[in-house]
C-alpha cells in the first residue's frame, strides 16, 4: 500500500485534471445552471464538513410561499470516493429538475484519502438528516425522497440508507444517558421515506478484485486504468481481495457483473427493479470530456429514468 502522503499527492493532481475534463464536458449546449444555493453541514472534530448543493424548479419560490412541498432527489457524485465534486452531475440534475419538478440536493461529501471510509457514507446520512430536520424551511416533502449516484456515488446511494438504519438502531440501543440525542434522531427520521434508488454503473462488491473485474471485461482497454483503481481502492478502503475463478461471461464495464448480481438479489427479495445496460459503453459513458459528443443519446436515457422517478413520486 502506498503512503497516505503519496495518495494525497496523486488525488490532488487528478482532481485538477478532472476539473479540466468536466469543464470541457460542460461546454456542450445547452449550458447547465449553477446550483441555486448551498448549505454547509456541521463540522466534525477536525473541522471538515459536507456541503449540499441545491438545484430548484423554476417555480420553487412561488410554490414554496403557497405551502407546496417538492419531492427531493439526493445525488452523490462519482470519482472513486477520491475525485469529483457535487456539480459533476449537473446535466442529470438539470434533467431531473425539469422533467420531475423535484428539488435536487447534490452532496459534496468528504473524499479520500484525507477522509477514508466511512466518512463519505456518514456525510450522506448527515445530509439526509439535515434535509429531514429542515424540510419545512426548504419546502421539501421528505416522504418522497429518491437517491441517485454515479459509480462511487451509486455505491453511496445504496449504502447511505443502510448506514442510516444502522445508526438509528445503535442510537436506540444506547439511549441510556442520551435520551435527548436519540429522540432528536428519531424525530428527524420519522417522516423520511426513501422511495427509490437510481444507481448508475455503481461499484457494489469490494471483495471482487480489480484484476478479476478487468479480466471479465469484453473491452479491457476501455475499463478504468489500473493507476486509477489502485488509487481509489487504497485511498478509500484498503482491503484484501478474494481470488475468484474465471467466469465464462464477460462484461462491457468492469462493474457490470456485480450490478447484474445485485439486481438478481433485489428481485429475489421481492423488490421492484429496472436494470438498463448500455452496450459497448465504457465506464462513466455519460461524462465524456469531448464537447462534440452526442449528448442527445445520453439525455434519452436520463429522460427515461426521470419518467420512472416521476411515476414513483406521483404514486
Amino acid at each position: 500500500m502506498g503512503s497516505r502522503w503519496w495518495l494525497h499527492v496523486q488525488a490532488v493532481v487528478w482532481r485538477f485534471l478532472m476539473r479540466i475534463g468536466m469543464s470541457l464536458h460542460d461546454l456542450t449546449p445547452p449550458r447547465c445552471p449553477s446550483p441555486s444555493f448551498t448549505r454547509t453541514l456541521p463540522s466534525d472534530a477536525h473541522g471538515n464538513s459536507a456541503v449540499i448543493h441545491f438545484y430548484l424548479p423554476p417555480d420553487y419560490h412561488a410554490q414554496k410561499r403557497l405551502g407546496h412541498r417538492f419531492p427531493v432527489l439526493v445525488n452523490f457524485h462519482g470519482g472513486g470516493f477520491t475525485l469529483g465534486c457535487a456539480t459533476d452531475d449537473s446535466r442529470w440534475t438539470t434533467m431531473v429538475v425539469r422533467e420531475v419538478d423535484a428539488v435536487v440536493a447534490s452532496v459534496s461529501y468528504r473524499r479520500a484519502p484525507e477522509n477514508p471510509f466511512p466518512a463519505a457514507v456518514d456525510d450522506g446520512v448527515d445530509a439526509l438528516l439535515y434535509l429531514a430536520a429542515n424540510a419545512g424551511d426548504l419546502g421539501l416533502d421528505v416522504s418522497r425522497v429518491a437517491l441517485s449516484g454515479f459509480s462511487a456515488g451509486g455505491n453511496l446511494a445504496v449504502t447511505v440508507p443502510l448506514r442510516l438504519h444502522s445508526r438509528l438502531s445503535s442510537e436506540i440501543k444506547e439511549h441510556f444517558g442520551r435520551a435527548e440525542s436519540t429522540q432528536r434522531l428519531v424525530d428527524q427520521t420519522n417522516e423520511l421515506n426513501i422511495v427509490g434508488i437510481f444507481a448508475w454503473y455503481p461499484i457494489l462488491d469490494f471483495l471482487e478484485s480489480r484484476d478479476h473485474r478487468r479480466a471479465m471485461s469484453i473491452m479491457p482497454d476501455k475499463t478504468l486504468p489500473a493507476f486509477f483503481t489502485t488509487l481509489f481502492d487504497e485511498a478509500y478502503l484498503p482491503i484484501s481481495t478474494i481470488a475468484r475463478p474465471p467466469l465464462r461471461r464477460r462484461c462491457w464495464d468492469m462493474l457490470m457483473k456485480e450490478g447484474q448480481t445485485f439486481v438478481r438479489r433485489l428481485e429475489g427479495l421481492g423488490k421492484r427493479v429496472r436494470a438498463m445496460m448500455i452496450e459497448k459503453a465504457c465506464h462513466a459513458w455519460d461524462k465524456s470530456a469531448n464537447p462534440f459528443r452526442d449528448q442527445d443519446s445520453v439525455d434519452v436515457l436520463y429522460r427515461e429514468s426521470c419518467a420512472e422517478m416521476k411515476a414513483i413520486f406521483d404514486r
Side-chain angles (χ1 to χ4, degrees):
M1 183 192 307
S3 69
R4 306 302 291 180
W5 175 85
W6 178 235
L7 291 173
H8 177 71
V9 170
Q10 293 179 77
V12 170
V13 170
W14 285 113
R15 285 169 189 168
F16 173 74
L17 295 176
M18 186 172 178
R19 292 315 314 146
I20 295 176
M22 290 307 301
S23 296
L24 294 173
H25 173 82
D26 292 340
L27 286 178
T28 302
R31 299 296 299 273
C32 295
S34 300
S36 299
F37 62 89
T38 63
R39 291 289 184 270
T40 301
L41 302 183
S43 302
D44 64 7
H46 304 287
N48 300 312
S49 60
V51 178
I52 306 177
H53 299 247
F54 289 87
Y55 296 82
L56 308 176
D59 60 346
Y60 169 81
H61 294 288
Q63 291 295 319
K64 181 172 173 288
R65 284 194 294 270
L66 295 174
H68 178 73
R69 292 201 177 193
F70 291 84
V72 58
L73 172 71
V74 182
N75 183 71
F76 302 98
H77 68 82
F81 308 99
T82 305
L83 313 179
C85 64
T87 57
D88 288 348
D89 303 319
S90 58
R91 294 193 178 277
W92 162 244
T93 57
T94 299
M95 184 71 72
V96 172
V97 167
R98 182 173 69 243
E99 300 289 328
V100 185
D101 196 33
V103 169
V104 178
S106 191
V107 182
S108 179
Y109 52 85
R110 289 172 293 164
R111 298 171 297 185
E114 301 93 324
N115 301 282
F117 176 85
V121 189
D122 285 336
D123 285 348
V125 171
D126 289 340
L128 288 179
L129 294 176
Y130 178 88
L131 295 174
N134 296 276
D137 292 337
L138 294 171
L140 304 179
D141 178 2
V142 292
S143 70
R144 295 184 293 164
V145 176
L147 307 183
S148 71
F150 295 76
S151 192
N155 175 277
L156 293 175
V158 173
T159 56
V160 164
L162 300 177
R163 183 74 164 176
L164 175 61
H165 181 268
S166 174
R167 181 168 163 183
L168 179 60
S169 299
S170 177
E171 287 265 333
I172 291 175
K173 290 179 181 178
E174 301 174 9
H175 71 279
F176 295 105
R178 304 173 60 193
E180 183 180 351
S181 172
T182 301
Q183 187 59 49
R184 186 160 56 247
L185 182 60
V186 171
D187 290 344
Q188 287 178 325
T189 57
N190 188 42
E191 296 182 2
L192 182 64
N193 185 30
I194 299 172
V195 296
I197 296 175
F198 295 78
W200 301 83
Y201 41 86
I203 179 170
L204 296 164
D205 185 356
F206 284 107
L207 297 181
E208 187 82 76
S209 74
R210 294 287 187 171
D211 289 339
H212 180 71
R213 289 188 177 109
R214 189 168 284 106
M216 290 303 102
S217 175
I218 291 176
M219 300 183 296
D221 59 317
K222 292 192 175 183
T223 61
L224 289 171
F227 58 79
F228 266 147
T229 56
T230 299
L231 169 63
F232 297 160
D233 294 344
E234 292 190 352
Y236 183 64
L237 187 65
I239 59 174
S240 299
T241 57
I242 296 176
R244 306 260 180 152
L247 300 180
R248 293 182 179 179
R249 183 170 185 177
R250 288 175 172 262
C251 308
W252 304 109
D253 181 354
M254 66 162 60
L255 302 181
M256 192 182 81
K257 182 177 69 67
E258 61 202 73
Q260 293 175 323
T261 300
F262 187 58
V263 166
R264 290 193 294 271
R265 291 185 63 182
L266 290 176
E267 290 174 337
L269 293 172
K271 303 296 183 181
R272 181 177 179 270
V273 185
R274 181 185 176 189
M276 181 190 304
M277 183 181 73
I278 315 303
E279 189 175 8
K280 297 184 179 179
C282 60
H283 190 72
W285 45 266
D286 61 322
K287 298 294 191 298
S288 172
N290 178 10
F292 304 105
R293 67 189 180 277
D294 181 11
Q295 182 63 37
D296 289 341
S297 63
V298 175
D299 288 344
V300 167
L301 302 174
Y302 281 178
R303 198 170 287 110
E304 287 185 15
S305 297
C306 286
E308 292 278 341
M309 189 184 305
K310 183 171 178 55
I312 292 172
F313 282 153
D314 290 346
R315 285 177 186 166

